[in-house]
Amino acid sequence: MDIFEVFARFPKQDDCIAYLEKVRWQGTPRCPYCKSSKQTPLPKEHRYHCNSCNTSYGVTVKTIFHRTRLPLQKWLLAVSLILNAKKGISARQLARHLKVNRNTAWRIGMQVRDAMYQPEHRNLLCGIVEMDETYVGGKPRRGSGKDVHIKHKCGRGTSKIPVVGMVERKGQVYAKVFGKSRLTLKKFSALVREKVDIQNTILMTDQYRSYLGMSRILPHKSIDHSIWYVRGDIHTNTIESFWALLKRGIVGQYHKVSLRHLPKYVDEFCYRYNHREQEDVFSLTIQRSLGAA
Ligand SMILES: [Zn+2]
């Protein structure tokens, strides 16, 4: 759903509430405190009185929209803008579109990202899985002030933050921020055991030392990037295109991402990538932000 559809479908606060109620409760309002469905509607306030625990509640209780003073339409617009921004959207851009201040936009963005967070119960990766790592952060924006001429070291052995990723060809991606810790075979193996169906997977990597030894846990092929980038089926092009997207987004839109927030941005890019072919990702995201998916 793009922003024009959001404007058309949810012109007023009432329309937004009706939509959220439908997504969250499918017609049967349920008390978020005691889970009872015995209620008396208080239509004027868009709330319900719970006949079991005697509290009153609205559809936004215990969700990212709880106690918001902003019109819900702005929240729905924010979800749409974030989902449609292939390269990410900065707080400043979001603020401009929503006509709110930058801090508010930043908070909304972070809460929508929370809703996009992919729970651990998702399926294991399988088939041909490419694994690689990249380094994020620290690079100044091109053309911004005095740092322009400083050459920045790239890749392994820098102070940037390592992110390790795995992607199924034509499938799902998983990426994890590794903090500033060293990337070792032990950590890579633990990650593969946790996220990959090792019985049904061939792993493709480059020849970084820490990947050697992976063949002890699953079939593993590696490509020597000092000689060639693609040898038959053996390449890591899929994960590298994902990195390109992630880095263009993070450097271009966010350019100052702290280690603390980086995992959320990485999740955001994974979420968009993993739902790239899903038709109604808007509703899914709203469901998640209401805790209903
Ligand atoms: Zn109740």
Side-chain angles (χ1 to χ4, degrees), residues 124-180:
L124 296 175
L125 304 177
C126 67
I128 296 178
V129 172
E130 300 174 18
M131 182 173 189
D132 191 23
E133 72 306 322
T134 193
Y135 294 80
V136 176
K139 200 175 172 184
R141 213 168 152 201
R142 241 200 294 165
S144 71
K146 56 186 190 303
D147 290 338
V148 182
H149 301 296
I150 298 172
K151 277 242 156 70
H152 286 265
K153 275 208 314 184
C154 293
R156 291 158 191 153
T158 69
S159 63
K160 294 186 178 185
I161 305 160
V163 182
V164 178
M166 295 179 289
V167 63
E168 300 165 325
R169 291 205 184 141
K170 298 204 172 88
Q172 305 275 297
V173 71
Y174 174 81
K176 183 181 174 173
V177 176
F178 259 71
K180 295 210 166 169

Tab-separated table of all heavy atoms in Angstrom, residues 124-180:
chain	number	residue	atom	x	y	z
A	124	LEU	N	14.233	-22.267	8.998
A	124	LEU	CA	15.671	-22.344	8.762
A	124	LEU	C	15.964	-22.122	7.281
A	124	LEU	O	15.160	-22.482	6.423
A	124	LEU	CB	16.184	-23.724	9.172
A	124	LEU	CG	16.064	-24.069	10.660
A	124	LEU	CD1	16.490	-25.511	10.893
A	124	LEU	CD2	16.891	-23.124	11.508
A	125	LEU	N	17.109	-21.552	7.005
A	125	LEU	CA	17.515	-21.379	5.609
A	125	LEU	C	17.950	-22.738	5.054
A	125	LEU	O	18.504	-23.558	5.779
A	125	LEU	CB	18.683	-20.400	5.509
A	125	LEU	CG	18.493	-19.003	6.105
A	125	LEU	CD1	19.776	-18.195	5.973
A	125	LEU	CD2	17.351	-18.269	5.410
A	126	CYS	N	17.690	-22.968	3.754
A	126	CYS	CA	18.163	-24.225	3.168
A	126	CYS	C	18.401	-24.066	1.665
A	126	CYS	O	18.191	-23.004	1.104
A	126	CYS	CB	17.187	-25.357	3.453
A	126	CYS	SG	15.623	-25.146	2.628
A	127	GLY	N	18.864	-25.144	1.031
A	127	GLY	CA	19.209	-25.079	-0.396
A	127	GLY	C	20.626	-24.566	-0.545
A	127	GLY	O	21.495	-24.892	0.262
A	128	ILE	N	20.856	-23.745	-1.577
A	128	ILE	CA	22.174	-23.131	-1.704
A	128	ILE	C	22.162	-21.856	-0.886
A	128	ILE	O	21.378	-20.943	-1.137
A	128	ILE	CB	22.510	-22.829	-3.175
A	128	ILE	CG1	22.603	-24.144	-3.950
A	128	ILE	CG2	23.830	-22.066	-3.270
A	128	ILE	CD1	22.875	-23.972	-5.433
A	129	VAL	N	22.989	-21.818	0.135
A	129	VAL	CA	23.017	-20.664	1.031
A	129	VAL	C	24.381	-19.983	0.930
A	129	VAL	O	25.410	-20.626	1.106
A	129	VAL	CB	22.740	-21.086	2.489
A	129	VAL	CG1	22.954	-19.914	3.446
A	129	VAL	CG2	21.317	-21.622	2.629
A	130	GLU	N	24.369	-18.702	0.614
A	130	GLU	CA	25.612	-17.940	0.552
A	130	GLU	C	25.817	-17.221	1.878
A	130	GLU	O	24.890	-16.637	2.418
A	130	GLU	CB	25.543	-16.900	-0.574
A	130	GLU	CG	25.338	-17.500	-1.946
A	130	GLU	CD	25.131	-16.424	-3.008
A	130	GLU	OE1	25.476	-15.248	-2.755
A	130	GLU	OE2	24.608	-16.768	-4.084
A	131	MET	N	27.038	-17.272	2.364
A	131	MET	CA	27.343	-16.620	3.645
A	131	MET	C	28.522	-15.675	3.440
A	131	MET	O	29.463	-15.987	2.717
A	131	MET	CB	27.706	-17.692	4.667
A	131	MET	CG	27.988	-17.152	6.051
A	131	MET	SD	28.208	-18.551	7.195
A	131	MET	CE	28.255	-17.686	8.753
A	132	ASP	N	28.429	-14.519	4.083
A	132	ASP	CA	29.488	-13.528	3.905
A	132	ASP	C	29.382	-12.527	5.044
A	132	ASP	O	28.388	-12.504	5.762
A	132	ASP	CB	29.289	-12.814	2.552
A	132	ASP	CG	30.499	-11.961	2.168
A	132	ASP	OD1	31.607	-12.218	2.651
A	132	ASP	OD2	30.309	-11.012	1.372
A	133	GLU	N	30.410	-11.697	5.178
A	133	GLU	CA	30.297	-10.667	6.192
A	133	GLU	C	30.646	-9.327	5.557
A	133	GLU	O	31.311	-9.253	4.529
A	133	GLU	CB	31.133	-10.991	7.419
A	133	GLU	CG	32.634	-10.891	7.358
A	133	GLU	CD	33.332	-11.652	6.252
A	133	GLU	OE1	32.914	-12.781	5.909
A	133	GLU	OE2	34.307	-11.120	5.712
A	134	THR	N	30.129	-8.261	6.185
A	134	THR	CA	30.427	-6.926	5.682
A	134	THR	C	30.689	-6.026	6.878
A	134	THR	O	30.490	-6.429	8.018
A	134	THR	CB	29.269	-6.393	4.803
A	134	THR	OG1	29.725	-5.235	4.104
A	134	THR	CG2	28.057	-6.007	5.635
A	135	TYR	N	31.156	-4.826	6.608
A	135	TYR	CA	31.509	-3.918	7.700
A	135	TYR	C	30.778	-2.599	7.495
A	135	TYR	O	30.794	-2.041	6.407
A	135	TYR	CB	33.020	-3.709	7.739
A	135	TYR	CG	33.717	-4.998	8.100
A	135	TYR	CD1	33.927	-5.981	7.141
A	135	TYR	CD2	34.085	-5.247	9.405
A	135	TYR	CE1	34.509	-7.186	7.476
A	135	TYR	CE2	34.669	-6.445	9.759
A	135	TYR	CZ	34.884	-7.420	8.785
A	135	TYR	OH	35.439	-8.612	9.136
A	136	VAL	N	30.121	-2.132	8.542
A	136	VAL	CA	29.257	-0.963	8.406
A	136	VAL	C	29.691	0.124	9.374
A	136	VAL	O	30.119	-0.160	10.484
A	136	VAL	CB	27.789	-1.352	8.722
A	136	VAL	CG1	26.901	-0.130	8.674
A	136	VAL	CG2	27.303	-2.410	7.750
A	137	GLY	N	29.531	1.363	8.924
A	137	GLY	CA	29.668	2.482	9.862
A	137	GLY	C	30.965	3.255	9.724
A	137	GLY	O	31.938	2.795	9.154
A	138	GLY	N	30.905	4.461	10.252
A	138	GLY	CA	32.129	5.254	10.340
A	138	GLY	C	32.448	6.087	9.127
A	138	GLY	O	33.191	7.055	9.215
A	139	LYS	N	31.866	5.770	7.991
A	139	LYS	CA	32.236	6.487	6.783
A	139	LYS	C	31.496	7.817	6.684
A	139	LYS	O	30.287	7.858	6.824
A	139	LYS	CB	31.866	5.631	5.574
A	139	LYS	CG	32.599	6.022	4.326
A	139	LYS	CD	32.260	5.027	3.227
A	139	LYS	CE	32.818	5.472	1.912
A	139	LYS	NZ	32.411	4.585	0.838
A	140	PRO	N	32.227	8.939	6.456
A	140	PRO	CA	31.526	10.214	6.348
A	140	PRO	C	30.788	10.298	5.021
A	140	PRO	O	31.109	9.601	4.077
A	140	PRO	CB	32.642	11.244	6.395
A	140	PRO	CG	33.828	10.529	5.855
A	140	PRO	CD	33.665	9.075	6.222
A	141	ARG	N	29.788	11.161	5.017
A	141	ARG	CA	29.019	11.362	3.800
A	141	ARG	C	29.905	12.029	2.766
A	141	ARG	O	30.685	12.917	3.083
A	141	ARG	CB	27.884	12.305	4.149
A	141	ARG	CG	26.640	12.067	3.411
A	141	ARG	CD	25.609	12.889	4.119
A	141	ARG	NE	24.580	13.277	3.190
A	141	ARG	CZ	23.794	14.305	3.403
A	141	ARG	NH1	23.950	15.059	4.471
A	141	ARG	NH2	22.845	14.586	2.540
A	142	ARG	N	29.797	11.591	1.531
A	142	ARG	CA	30.656	12.174	0.501
A	142	ARG	C	30.363	13.653	0.348
A	142	ARG	O	29.207	14.066	0.315
A	142	ARG	CB	30.451	11.465	-0.828
A	142	ARG	CG	31.770	10.833	-1.276
A	142	ARG	CD	31.760	10.568	-2.747
A	142	ARG	NE	30.755	9.535	-3.058
A	142	ARG	CZ	30.334	9.323	-4.286
A	142	ARG	NH1	30.792	10.028	-5.282
A	142	ARG	NH2	29.453	8.390	-4.519
A	143	GLY	N	31.412	14.463	0.281
A	143	GLY	CA	31.207	15.895	0.108
A	143	GLY	C	30.824	16.628	1.372
A	143	GLY	O	30.442	17.783	1.319
A	144	SER	N	30.907	15.969	2.532
A	144	SER	CA	30.502	16.665	3.748
A	144	SER	C	31.731	17.128	4.532
A	144	SER	O	32.346	16.376	5.267
A	144	SER	CB	29.637	15.765	4.619
A	144	SER	OG	30.417	14.746	5.177
A	145	GLY	N	32.104	18.366	4.337
A	145	GLY	CA	33.120	18.992	5.169
A	145	GLY	C	34.529	18.465	5.008
A	145	GLY	O	34.924	18.029	3.941
A	146	LYS	N	35.247	18.475	6.143
A	146	LYS	CA	36.690	18.322	6.050
A	146	LYS	C	37.186	16.885	5.891
A	146	LYS	O	38.323	16.658	5.538
A	146	LYS	CB	37.345	18.945	7.285
A	146	LYS	CG	36.837	18.389	8.610
A	146	LYS	CD	37.448	19.185	9.763
A	146	LYS	CE	37.212	18.593	11.115
A	146	LYS	NZ	35.871	18.355	11.557
A	147	ASP	N	36.320	15.943	6.144
A	147	ASP	CA	36.785	14.557	6.102
A	147	ASP	C	36.876	13.970	4.692
A	147	ASP	O	37.277	12.834	4.514
A	147	ASP	CB	35.831	13.654	6.910
A	147	ASP	CG	35.948	13.944	8.389
A	147	ASP	OD1	37.000	14.491	8.774
A	147	ASP	OD2	35.007	13.639	9.130
A	148	VAL	N	36.485	14.776	3.714
A	148	VAL	CA	36.316	14.258	2.363
A	148	VAL	C	37.546	13.533	1.831
A	148	VAL	O	37.432	12.498	1.181
A	148	VAL	CB	35.977	15.409	1.391
A	148	VAL	CG1	35.743	14.888	-0.004
A	148	VAL	CG2	34.743	16.127	1.889
A	149	HIS	N	38.731	14.074	2.137
A	149	HIS	CA	39.912	13.501	1.494
A	149	HIS	C	40.555	12.365	2.264
A	149	HIS	O	41.490	11.751	1.814
A	149	HIS	CB	40.940	14.610	1.228
A	149	HIS	CG	40.366	15.671	0.343
A	149	HIS	ND1	39.981	15.415	-0.958
A	149	HIS	CD2	40.041	16.960	0.583
A	149	HIS	CE1	39.467	16.517	-1.488
A	149	HIS	NE2	39.488	17.472	-0.574
A	150	ILE	N	40.012	12.101	3.449
A	150	ILE	CA	40.596	11.015	4.238
A	150	ILE	C	40.187	9.675	3.614
A	150	ILE	O	39.014	9.413	3.390
A	150	ILE	CB	40.116	11.086	5.699
A	150	ILE	CG1	40.580	12.402	6.316
A	150	ILE	CG2	40.641	9.901	6.495
A	150	ILE	CD1	40.003	12.680	7.688
A	151	LYS	N	41.174	8.855	3.377
A	151	LYS	CA	40.875	7.534	2.825
A	151	LYS	C	40.461	6.605	3.958
A	151	LYS	O	41.092	6.559	5.001
A	151	LYS	CB	42.131	6.972	2.143
A	151	LYS	CG	42.307	7.492	0.727
A	151	LYS	CD	42.255	6.325	-0.264
A	151	LYS	CE	41.858	6.745	-1.657
A	151	LYS	NZ	42.774	7.507	-2.389
A	152	HIS	N	39.391	5.873	3.740
A	152	HIS	CA	38.948	4.974	4.787
A	152	HIS	C	39.278	3.539	4.445
A	152	HIS	O	39.026	3.098	3.340
A	152	HIS	CB	37.449	5.137	5.014
A	152	HIS	CG	37.152	6.408	5.740
A	152	HIS	ND1	36.994	6.455	7.093
A	152	HIS	CD2	37.061	7.674	5.295
A	152	HIS	CE1	36.793	7.708	7.451
A	152	HIS	NE2	36.822	8.465	6.374
A	153	LYS	N	39.827	2.874	5.420
A	153	LYS	CA	40.126	1.463	5.211
A	153	LYS	C	38.824	0.689	5.082
A	153	LYS	O	37.823	1.029	5.679
A	153	LYS	CB	40.912	0.925	6.409
A	153	LYS	CG	42.392	1.180	6.279
A	153	LYS	CD	43.256	0.160	6.993
A	153	LYS	CE	42.866	-0.214	8.381
A	153	LYS	NZ	43.794	-1.118	9.034
A	154	CYS	N	38.858	-0.368	4.284
A	154	CYS	CA	37.645	-1.146	4.111
A	154	CYS	C	37.842	-2.564	4.633
A	154	CYS	O	38.937	-3.096	4.594
A	154	CYS	CB	37.269	-1.236	2.637
A	154	CYS	SG	36.800	0.348	1.984
A	155	GLY	N	36.755	-3.174	5.054
A	155	GLY	CA	36.739	-4.609	5.298
A	155	GLY	C	37.424	-5.067	6.564
A	155	GLY	O	37.526	-4.340	7.539
A	156	ARG	N	37.864	-6.304	6.507
A	156	ARG	CA	38.425	-6.953	7.690
A	156	ARG	C	39.608	-6.162	8.243
A	156	ARG	O	40.442	-5.666	7.510
A	156	ARG	CB	38.891	-8.361	7.325
A	156	ARG	CG	37.739	-9.283	7.026
A	156	ARG	CD	38.148	-10.468	6.169
A	156	ARG	NE	36.966	-11.179	5.705
A	156	ARG	CZ	36.929	-11.888	4.571
A	156	ARG	NH1	37.983	-11.976	3.803
A	156	ARG	NH2	35.832	-12.503	4.229
A	157	GLY	N	39.693	-6.081	9.549
A	157	GLY	CA	40.809	-5.377	10.164
A	157	GLY	C	40.565	-3.891	10.328
A	157	GLY	O	41.486	-3.115	10.463
A	158	THR	N	39.317	-3.437	10.287
A	158	THR	CA	39.012	-2.027	10.498
A	158	THR	C	38.199	-1.881	11.773
A	158	THR	O	37.841	-2.861	12.408
A	158	THR	CB	38.159	-1.451	9.359
A	158	THR	OG1	36.873	-2.049	9.440
A	158	THR	CG2	38.765	-1.724	8.023
A	159	SER	N	37.876	-0.641	12.129
A	159	SER	CA	37.087	-0.431	13.337
A	159	SER	C	35.596	-0.424	13.038
A	159	SER	O	34.790	-0.123	13.894
A	159	SER	CB	37.482	0.893	13.964
A	159	SER	OG	37.173	1.921	13.054
A	160	LYS	N	35.244	-0.705	11.794
A	160	LYS	CA	33.812	-0.733	11.486
A	160	LYS	C	33.143	-1.948	12.115
A	160	LYS	O	33.813	-2.860	12.570
A	160	LYS	CB	33.631	-0.764	9.966
A	160	LYS	CG	34.119	0.512	9.318
A	160	LYS	CD	33.795	0.477	7.866
A	160	LYS	CE	34.223	1.756	7.203
A	160	LYS	NZ	33.789	1.761	5.811
A	161	ILE	N	31.811	-1.927	12.094
A	161	ILE	CA	31.080	-2.980	12.800
A	161	ILE	C	30.772	-4.141	11.858
A	161	ILE	O	30.178	-3.938	10.801
A	161	ILE	CB	29.750	-2.415	13.353
A	161	ILE	CG1	30.039	-1.187	14.215
A	161	ILE	CG2	28.993	-3.465	14.120
A	161	ILE	CD1	28.830	-0.291	14.404
A	162	PRO	N	31.177	-5.348	12.229
A	162	PRO	CA	30.897	-6.476	11.341
A	162	PRO	C	29.431	-6.933	11.397
A	162	PRO	O	28.825	-6.989	12.464
A	162	PRO	CB	31.822	-7.586	11.850
A	162	PRO	CG	32.176	-7.215	13.229
A	162	PRO	CD	31.996	-5.734	13.384
A	163	VAL	N	28.898	-7.224	10.221
A	163	VAL	CA	27.564	-7.804	10.095
A	163	VAL	C	27.734	-9.085	9.290
A	163	VAL	O	28.379	-9.070	8.243
A	163	VAL	CB	26.604	-6.854	9.348
A	163	VAL	CG1	25.208	-7.443	9.264
A	163	VAL	CG2	26.560	-5.487	10.012
A	164	VAL	N	27.201	-10.178	9.791
A	164	VAL	CA	27.328	-11.450	9.093
A	164	VAL	C	25.967	-11.822	8.518
A	164	VAL	O	24.953	-11.669	9.194
A	164	VAL	CB	27.834	-12.548	10.055
A	164	VAL	CG1	27.914	-13.897	9.350
A	164	VAL	CG2	29.189	-12.165	10.628
A	165	GLY	N	25.968	-12.264	7.268
A	165	GLY	CA	24.693	-12.579	6.644
A	165	GLY	C	24.698	-13.898	5.904
A	165	GLY	O	25.751	-14.398	5.493
A	166	MET	N	23.505	-14.468	5.766
A	166	MET	CA	23.333	-15.683	4.997
A	166	MET	C	22.076	-15.514	4.155
A	166	MET	O	21.074	-15.011	4.639
A	166	MET	CB	23.157	-16.874	5.933
A	166	MET	CG	24.398	-17.142	6.770
A	166	MET	SD	24.182	-18.514	7.884
A	166	MET	CE	23.061	-17.836	9.050
A	167	VAL	N	22.160	-15.947	2.903
A	167	VAL	CA	20.969	-15.805	2.054
A	167	VAL	C	20.782	-17.053	1.204
A	167	VAL	O	21.757	-17.633	0.703
A	167	VAL	CB	21.066	-14.536	1.174
A	167	VAL	CG1	22.233	-14.581	0.207
A	167	VAL	CG2	19.769	-14.283	0.403
A	168	GLU	N	19.543	-17.479	1.084
A	168	GLU	CA	19.213	-18.565	0.164
A	168	GLU	C	19.113	-17.965	-1.226
A	168	GLU	O	18.525	-16.892	-1.372
A	168	GLU	CB	17.832	-19.145	0.481
A	168	GLU	CG	17.657	-19.712	1.846
A	168	GLU	CD	16.168	-19.921	2.166
A	168	GLU	OE1	15.325	-19.106	1.731
A	168	GLU	OE2	15.848	-20.889	2.845
A	169	ARG	N	19.625	-18.650	-2.231
A	169	ARG	CA	19.418	-18.131	-3.582
A	169	ARG	C	17.917	-18.126	-3.865
A	169	ARG	O	17.240	-19.112	-3.628
A	169	ARG	CB	20.160	-18.992	-4.603
A	169	ARG	CG	21.650	-18.803	-4.419
A	169	ARG	CD	22.456	-19.072	-5.645
A	169	ARG	NE	23.866	-18.933	-5.270
A	169	ARG	CZ	24.819	-19.710	-5.721
A	169	ARG	NH1	24.545	-20.654	-6.601
A	169	ARG	NH2	26.066	-19.511	-5.325
A	170	LYS	N	17.411	-17.027	-4.345
A	170	LYS	CA	15.981	-16.810	-4.616
A	170	LYS	C	15.125	-16.969	-3.359
A	170	LYS	O	13.947	-17.300	-3.435
A	170	LYS	CB	15.463	-17.782	-5.677
A	170	LYS	CG	16.134	-17.629	-7.018
A	170	LYS	CD	15.222	-18.147	-8.127
A	170	LYS	CE	15.774	-17.830	-9.493
A	170	LYS	NZ	16.673	-18.841	-10.011
A	171	GLY	N	15.718	-16.774	-2.185
A	171	GLY	CA	14.934	-17.000	-0.967
A	171	GLY	C	15.145	-15.927	0.068
A	171	GLY	O	15.246	-14.744	-0.257
A	172	GLN	N	15.223	-16.382	1.310
A	172	GLN	CA	15.241	-15.484	2.447
A	172	GLN	C	16.662	-15.123	2.886
A	172	GLN	O	17.596	-15.871	2.649
A	172	GLN	CB	14.561	-16.177	3.635
A	172	GLN	CG	13.160	-16.664	3.335
A	172	GLN	CD	12.138	-15.578	3.535
A	172	GLN	OE1	11.954	-15.075	4.619
A	172	GLN	NE2	11.470	-15.206	2.455
A	173	VAL	N	16.762	-13.998	3.552
A	173	VAL	CA	18.058	-13.574	4.079
A	173	VAL	C	17.997	-13.508	5.599
A	173	VAL	O	16.926	-13.292	6.184
A	173	VAL	CB	18.458	-12.197	3.479
A	173	VAL	CG1	17.594	-11.068	4.023
A	173	VAL	CG2	19.927	-11.882	3.735
A	174	TYR	N	19.127	-13.730	6.227
A	174	TYR	CA	19.248	-13.497	7.662
A	174	TYR	C	20.568	-12.763	7.889
A	174	TYR	O	21.592	-13.154	7.339
A	174	TYR	CB	19.257	-14.822	8.443
A	174	TYR	CG	19.524	-14.604	9.908
A	174	TYR	CD1	18.501	-14.206	10.768
A	174	TYR	CD2	20.813	-14.736	10.422
A	174	TYR	CE1	18.755	-13.940	12.096
A	174	TYR	CE2	21.068	-14.480	11.760
A	174	TYR	CZ	20.036	-14.082	12.587
A	174	TYR	OH	20.290	-13.815	13.907
A	175	ALA	N	20.543	-11.688	8.650
A	175	ALA	CA	21.789	-10.964	8.914
A	175	ALA	C	21.839	-10.565	10.370
A	175	ALA	O	20.813	-10.260	10.985
A	175	ALA	CB	21.891	-9.734	8.028
A	176	LYS	N	23.042	-10.577	10.920
A	176	LYS	CA	23.201	-10.325	12.351
A	176	LYS	C	24.401	-9.416	12.595
A	176	LYS	O	25.470	-9.621	12.022
A	176	LYS	CB	23.412	-11.671	13.045
A	176	LYS	CG	23.509	-11.554	14.524
A	176	LYS	CD	23.730	-12.903	15.174
A	176	LYS	CE	23.954	-12.632	16.661
A	176	LYS	NZ	24.025	-13.780	17.476
A	177	VAL	N	24.192	-8.429	13.445
A	177	VAL	CA	25.287	-7.531	13.815
A	177	VAL	C	26.143	-8.236	14.863
A	177	VAL	O	25.625	-8.789	15.820
A	177	VAL	CB	24.706	-6.225	14.406
A	177	VAL	CG1	25.825	-5.316	14.879
A	177	VAL	CG2	23.842	-5.528	13.361
A	178	PHE	N	27.461	-8.213	14.636
A	178	PHE	CA	28.344	-8.956	15.533
A	178	PHE	C	29.061	-8.085	16.548
A	178	PHE	O	30.003	-8.533	17.175
A	178	PHE	CB	29.348	-9.768	14.708
A	178	PHE	CG	28.936	-11.205	14.614
A	178	PHE	CD1	27.854	-11.557	13.843
A	178	PHE	CD2	29.603	-12.185	15.325
A	178	PHE	CE1	27.437	-12.881	13.775
A	178	PHE	CE2	29.195	-13.510	15.260
A	178	PHE	CZ	28.116	-13.857	14.491
A	179	GLY	N	28.655	-6.841	16.696
A	179	GLY	CA	29.367	-5.981	17.633
A	179	GLY	C	30.807	-5.848	17.183
A	179	GLY	O	31.114	-6.028	16.020
A	180	LYS	N	31.679	-5.560	18.126
A	180	LYS	CA	33.063	-5.403	17.692
A	180	LYS	C	33.896	-6.638	18.002
A	180	LYS	O	35.108	-6.574	18.144
A	180	LYS	CB	33.653	-4.142	18.319
A	180	LYS	CG	32.931	-2.901	17.803
A	180	LYS	CD	33.801	-1.682	17.750
A	180	LYS	CE	33.089	-0.605	16.905
A	180	LYS	NZ	33.706	0.692	16.986
